[in-house]
DNA sequence: AAAAAATAGCAAGCATACTTTACATTTTTT
DNA sequence: AAAAAATGTAAAGTATGCTTGCTATTTTTT
């Protein structure tokens, strides 16, 4: 699954660590989500989206889950 | 966490079974999400939201995850 | 070029999101 | 009121989303 997290981080000049702290998770979790190792949980997806002032669908490309 | 799934099902005259089949999961999973036993995964949340033609945030009340 | 910062990757462990099976309970239909 | 349909719940098992700790690699800064 693709996400715009890395792109949004760069635009806002944030490290993974800084974003992780801001949304209450770990840097490794942000890394894992960015690299596609696993899919963010709904609560975390929401917190990340809200942090950037966007909707979940604007941050996470979920099209692969729909035919 | 609250969701509008039950409400939307009633409006559309759907049983849990019918919704479950439509989004590719089990009736028990829909029941568990409706009763708050656990939180839907992001992919499933998206499929449910799309099924009703809504956004994830319109179906799932995620406000408790934000201060 | 060297050092510092950032990121990727691994592993182990824990919690949670399911699936399957089955039964209990409630609601709806007859 | 009885039967059927729908829903709630429990349990066990599996897969996944984390957290923690660490090292390797890459990128950025000096």
């Amino acid at each position: 699954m693709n996400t715009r997290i890395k792109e949004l981080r760069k635009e806002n000049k944030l490290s993974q660590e800084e974003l992780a702290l801001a949304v209450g998770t770990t840097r490794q979790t942000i890394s894992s989500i960015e690299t596609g190792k696993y899919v963010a949980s709904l609560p975390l997806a929401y917190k990340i989206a809200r942090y950037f002032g966007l909707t979940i669908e604007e941050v996470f490309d979920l099209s692969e889950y729909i035919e």
Side-chain angles (χ1 to χ4, degrees), chain A:
Chain A
M1 183 181 75
N2 289 316
T3 86
R4 290 177 56 209
I5 297 174
K6 187 165 189 173
E7 174 192 325
L8 293 164
R9 275 200 307 109
K10 303 299 184 181
E11 285 173 15
N12 291 277
K13 300 183 170 41
L14 289 169
S15 66
Q16 291 179 338
E17 180 76 47
E18 287 166 324
L19 176 59
L21 287 175
V23 300
T25 189
T26 64
R27 181 198 63 71
Q28 286 91 325
T29 295
I30 297 295
S31 176
S32 297
I33 292 165
E34 281 186 4
T35 55
K37 185 163 184 184
Y38 52 75
V39 175
S41 66
L42 188 52
L44 181 56
Y46 181 67
K47 286 193 271 190
I48 291 171
R50 288 321 270 178
Y51 181 77
F52 289 116
L54 300 170
T55 64
I56 293 173
E57 281 101 331
E58 287 172 317
V59 180
F60 300 83
D61 171 20
L62 295 152
S63 53
E64 72 181 273
Y65 301 112
I66 294 288
E67 292 85 42

